[in-house]
Amino acid sequence: MSVKDTPFLEHLDTNYAPTEEELPALRNIIQENEGILTDLDAQIQALNDVRKARADFIQRHFALLSPLKRLPDDLLSTLFLALLNHPDNRHAKMSNTHPAVVLSHVCRRWRQLALDTALLWTTLRIYPPVLPQGYPYGAYSANPHLSSQMTAHSPRVEVTRRWEKEVEKILTMTRGWLKRSKECTLTIDVHAPDVAPQIYPHHPTAVDVSPKAETSGLTALIEAVCDASRRWKIATLKISTTRLTSSDSPFRRIFTLTEDDVPLLQDLIFSVNASFGIHHEEGSLIPPHRETGMLGGRSLRSVTLGPMCVDINTLPIRWGQLTDIQFNGYINVYTPFPPGDTGPGLSFDCTQALNLLRLCPRLVNCDLSLVPYSRPLESFGTVSLPDLKSLTLRYSVPDIGFVSCLQAPSLRKLVLPNFLDMGLPNEHAGESPGSSLIAWLEAYGHQLTEIQFNVSTLTPAGLRSVMNLLPNIKTLRLDHNGDGASLPPTPNGDQVLPMPAMVDELFLGQFMPEREDQGNDEPRGPLWCPNLESIRFPRRGGTAFTEQDFLEFVAARRRMHSEGKVGQLREVTVMFGILQEGDLMTRLEEMGIDVEGLILKISYASRIPLRPEQAYPRDEYDF
């Protein structure tokens, strides 16, 4: 029955109330059409099933047309390597989420190709967890029987066993990576803590009742890495340990490697943190030292050394072949001795720095940590570094005597964080850090394209002088003492502290064209940094401009670039105290500014603390 055939056609969609005699007929019509509707639903479902099967059939055939399936293996493996070298994946650690592992799980062909592409497996990032040891003071009674009972049921047992299993998983991964990398050169990154420091370990009532973890797994891990040392090309070895030279140290093998064991090693980062509870043998030294043979590698070109306790000149490094060096000073670099007092330890000052630079005539990049006190340079001579492009001098700005000894015609990047000097002269240096910085810029400012310095060590006039000496800067990074270590100022008796410079709206104004309403009471200098592309303002302290001032600065520089007057400002990093305007990028667009390619890294002083990560993530090593 169709809709038009129903005897109730004239009553449909009205308020008509059927009579008692009409009810049976209505029910028959409804029942009859419900059956038809059920049949139609079944037909629709059958058609949907047929459609789904047909679509699946088409898709499976269409997949055969995928260009990836027709790519030869050499091109496909090149794409694999490109994925691995993507910035998001360059620091991926060994796990089941590592790009190489993910690729090997796509299909049979991809797995075989990934396993055959040895370069996918040449970077080993090994971060074993901290070995658990010891309990806080007062956790247990000195009663041995009671202690053993409590230990048997304590969470420390489980933690220790989990540590052992975790190390065993990392060992399995390491062996797999080494096997799959075949004979390719390796990049090794080992961050290995030996044991966690105990709390109150020497208290007379403290009892260490923790289970002794089996460290053979950690020893085997280090042995596996060192067995492949002849293939090392880049190595980062950062070790925290309480047992350096003892026969049972898991890291002993690293310290005994010779130059013949690392014939291909070009780039080495080596540091040992033994600041807590170090128990080394009588007369032994904390590495690195003269017996650390791998420092004498014949192919070594780049060296980074952490704070150490021996004279750097005694190390077996082939200085003449180095192109990159970073030396983080001696162990007392953060607590230097006052002027006139050499103390019992070593201090890396300007004289020692120049001596080191003289040994390295091929340097391209140099990063040194200097103590803030230095003896006067007397008839030192000239140190020529014709290839030096980047120079970083931490904690102290050497004075004009140092600058006059150095010849660096290729220098383009100068980094002077200087978080120790407080902008005042001292009797040893003879001049303030501000005048020292100006001496550097008078010599090299015209050739620099990147610079970083601390504004809080300068007076307002000093800051203006510094900025006027930087005509070709493209990257400007400004520091403040609030960004660095909180250390006491240099002692100067009753001398009055000068007013430090501030990065305020007047400072920003020197980067912009002068407005007519600003007046001409004081003659204005040249426009600062016409080639500026990137600027980082001090993160904590030293800034006194508003978000509106900031917006005007960015807008002016972008407008000037569109007019062909200055370089394009591409990246700005700034921290404000309180959120005021909200989305600053949107505000710039509302001001008619082209923000294409502009990166604003904006943060605010109040931050929510990050949630700590779990110590032992599970199911991470299935590869």
Side-chain angles (χ1 to χ4, degrees):
M1 178 183 293
S2 67
V3 176
K4 294 182 180 180
D5 294 336
T6 175
F8 297 95
L9 180 61
E10 61 179 317
H11 301 304
L12 296 177
D13 303 320
T14 68
N15 291 329
Y16 175 75
T19 63
E20 288 293 332
E21 292 78 10
E22 293 174 325
L23 292 179
L26 276 173
R27 292 189 177 97
N28 288 335
I29 292 172
I30 293 172
Q31 184 176 4
E32 177 183 349
N33 283 273
E34 283 180 341
I36 295 173
L37 186 61
T38 300
D39 292 341
L40 290 174
D41 287 339
Q43 294 177 38
I44 291 172
Q45 182 61 46
L47 287 173
N48 280 334
D49 292 342
V50 172
R51 185 188 185 285
K52 182 178 179 181
R54 183 65 62 180
D56 182 65
F57 179 79
I58 293 173
Q59 184 60 38
R60 292 168 64 188
H61 284 74
F62 186 77
L64 295 176
L65 299 177
S66 172
L68 278 177
K69 293 182 179 293
R70 290 179 281 121
L71 280 180
D73 285 352
D74 57 344
L75 290 182
L76 190 56
S77 62
T78 301
L79 292 179
F80 288 177
L81 294 173
L83 174 64
L84 193 63
N85 291 325
H86 189 276
D88 293 341
N89 299 324
R90 287 176 184 170
H91 302 288
K93 66 178 182 178
M94 296 185 299
S95 70
N96 63 348
T97 61
H98 189 279
V101 176
V102 174
L103 290 171
S104 69
H105 286 182
V106 172
C107 63
R108 181 178 301 176
R109 180 199 174 199
W110 282 35
R111 178 171 180 79
Q112 189 58 51
L113 183 58
L115 296 179
D116 291 341
T117 306
L119 291 176
L120 285 175
W121 312 94
T122 57
T123 298
L124 289 80
R125 303 194 185 281
I126 302 171
Y127 306 145
V130 176
L131 172 64
Q133 174 180 325
Y135 276 96
Y137 158 64
Y140 285 99
S141 166
N143 186 319
H145 176 69
L146 180 59
S147 298
S148 61
Q149 286 184 332
M150 297 184 72
T151 302
H153 302 283
S154 73
R156 180 65 65 176
V157 175
E158 177 62 23
V159 170
T160 302
R161 299 299 173 257
R162 289 174 64 188
W163 179 88
E164 293 171 352
K165 293 179 180 179
E166 187 77 3
V167 172
E168 187 62 33
K169 290 178 181 178
I170 298 175
L171 175 59
T172 301
M173 293 284 286
T174 299
R175 287 171 173 167
W177 245 254
L178 291 173
K179 180 179 179 181
R180 294 174 183 181
S181 62
K182 300 176 183 176
E183 296 303 317
C184 293
T185 57
L186 300 174
T187 296
I188 303 295
D189 186 0
V190 179
H191 288 63
D194 177 5
V195 62
Q198 299 185 50
I199 304 177
Y200 309 114
H202 303 299
H203 195 279
T205 61
V207 178
D208 180 10
V209 294
S210 61
K212 301 303 180 183
E214 175 57 55
T215 59
S216 60
L218 183 57
T219 302
L221 177 61
I222 299 302
E223 289 288 337
V225 175
C226 291
D227 285 343
S229 64
R230 295 190 63 82
R231 293 197 283 139
W232 291 4
K233 182 178 180 181
I234 301 173
T236 298
L237 305 172
K238 296 185 178 181
I239 300 168
S240 298
T241 180
T242 58
R243 297 171 294 171
L244 290 176
T245 58
S246 59
S247 58
D248 63 341
S249 171
F251 307 111
R252 183 176 178 83
R253 176 73 181 280
I254 291 178
F255 306 139
T256 58
L257 291 175
T258 67
E259 62 180 68
D260 293 329
D261 295 324
V262 288
L264 304 179
L265 185 61
Q266 296 182 9
D267 190 335
L268 174 64
I269 299 176
F270 186 79
S271 66
V272 177
N273 178 11
S275 58
F276 53 80
I278 178 68
H279 301 297
H280 54 81
E281 296 170 356
E282 187 69 24
S284 63
L285 296 173
I286 301 173
H289 50 70
R290 62 180 63 87
E291 301 299 328
T292 309
M294 64 178 167
L295 293 176
R298 291 180 290 273
S299 300
L300 204 58
R301 297 294 182 269
S302 175
V303 176
T304 298
L305 299 173
M308 57 190 198
C309 60
V310 298
D311 189 342
I312 189 173
N313 294 301
T314 64
L315 300 180
I317 297 176
R318 302 171 190 263
W319 301 106
Q321 67 188 27
L322 293 186
T323 59
D324 297 75
I325 186 172
Q326 178 175 341
F327 177 48
N328 295 320
Y330 300 114
I331 57 175
N332 62 337
V333 66
Y334 298 104
T335 55
F337 298 102
D341 181 9
T342 58
L346 296 166
S347 65
F348 192 71
D349 59 13
C350 291
T351 300
Q352 291 190 342
L354 287 172
N355 280 325
L356 180 62
L357 294 176
R358 178 170 284 168
L359 295 174
C360 309
R362 299 178 59 188
L363 280 184
V364 176
N365 301 291
C366 181
D367 186 329
L368 303 176
S369 295
L370 302 176
V371 295
Y373 305 108
S374 178
R375 296 169 181 80
L377 298 171
E378 297 179 359
S379 303
F380 193 88
T382 300
V383 176
S384 179
L385 299 174
D387 301 320
L388 185 66
K389 295 182 179 180
S390 174
L391 177 62
T392 300
L393 299 174
R394 303 180 187 276
Y395 308 118
S396 182
V397 179
D399 60 18
I400 191 172
F402 188 102
V403 178
S404 62
C405 293
L406 187 65
Q407 289 186 355
S410 302
L411 188 65
R412 297 294 180 268
K413 178 180 178 180
L414 182 62
V415 179
L416 302 170
N418 186 23
F419 290 128
L420 293 188
D421 291 333
M422 297 298 289
L424 298 176
N426 62 69
E427 59 183 83
H428 230 56
E431 55 183 272
S432 71
S435 59
S436 297
L437 177 57
I438 291 174
W440 276 94
L441 299 186
E442 287 177 342
Y444 297 105
H446 64 285
Q447 65 189 55
L448 296 178
T449 59
E450 182 174 350
I451 191 169
Q452 177 180 338
F453 61 89
N454 188 345
V455 298
S456 60
T457 63
L458 302 170
T459 63
L463 179 57
R464 288 193 297 271
S465 298
V466 165
M467 295 303 301
N468 286 329
L469 292 170
L470 299 171
N472 298 311
I473 286 295
K474 294 183 178 180
T475 301
L476 175 63
R477 291 184 173 87
L478 304 175
D479 290 322
H480 185 270
N481 278 344
D483 300 337
S486 179
L487 293 171
T490 302
N492 286 276
D494 297 329
Q495 187 169 356
V496 178
L497 292 174
M499 180 65 68
M502 295 291 290
V503 179
D504 53 18
E505 70 278 4
L506 296 178
F507 178 87
L508 296 181
Q510 291 291 140
F511 292 88
M512 301 182 283
E514 187 174 9
R515 298 199 309 260
E516 295 181 359
D517 59 351
Q518 286 180 324
N520 297 310
D521 295 338
E522 296 183 5
R524 172 175 166 146
L527 185 78
W528 285 350
C529 304
N531 299 324
L532 187 67
E533 297 179 358
S534 174
I535 183 170
R536 188 195 72 190
F537 294 101
R539 293 181 291 272
R540 294 186 180 275
T543 57
F545 55 80
T546 65
E547 289 183 349
Q548 184 60 38
D549 297 328
F550 173 76
L551 288 172
E552 293 177 0
F553 158 72
V554 176
R557 294 297 295 205
R558 298 286 288 191
R559 287 195 188 103
M560 293 171 68
H561 170 72
S562 64
E563 298 169 356
K565 296 179 179 179
V566 298
Q568 186 177 42
L569 185 64
R570 303 177 186 274
E571 182 175 323
V572 186
T573 303
V574 64
M575 173 180 283
F576 292 106
I578 301 174
L579 177 64
Q580 297 176 2
E581 300 292 343
D583 189 346
L584 299 189
M585 190 70 81
T586 301
R587 289 288 309 280
L588 288 172
E589 292 177 338
E590 293 172 351
M591 296 167 65
I593 303 301
D594 179 12
V595 297
E596 181 70 25
L598 177 63
I599 300 174
L600 296 184
K601 299 180 180 180
I602 302 173
S603 57
Y604 296 87
S606 58
R607 296 180 299 177
I608 300 175
L610 297 176
R611 179 180 178 183
E613 297 180 354
Q614 294 183 354
Y616 301 96
R618 296 186 177 182
D619 302 327
E620 194 175 10
Y621 297 96
D622 177 19
F623 73 109

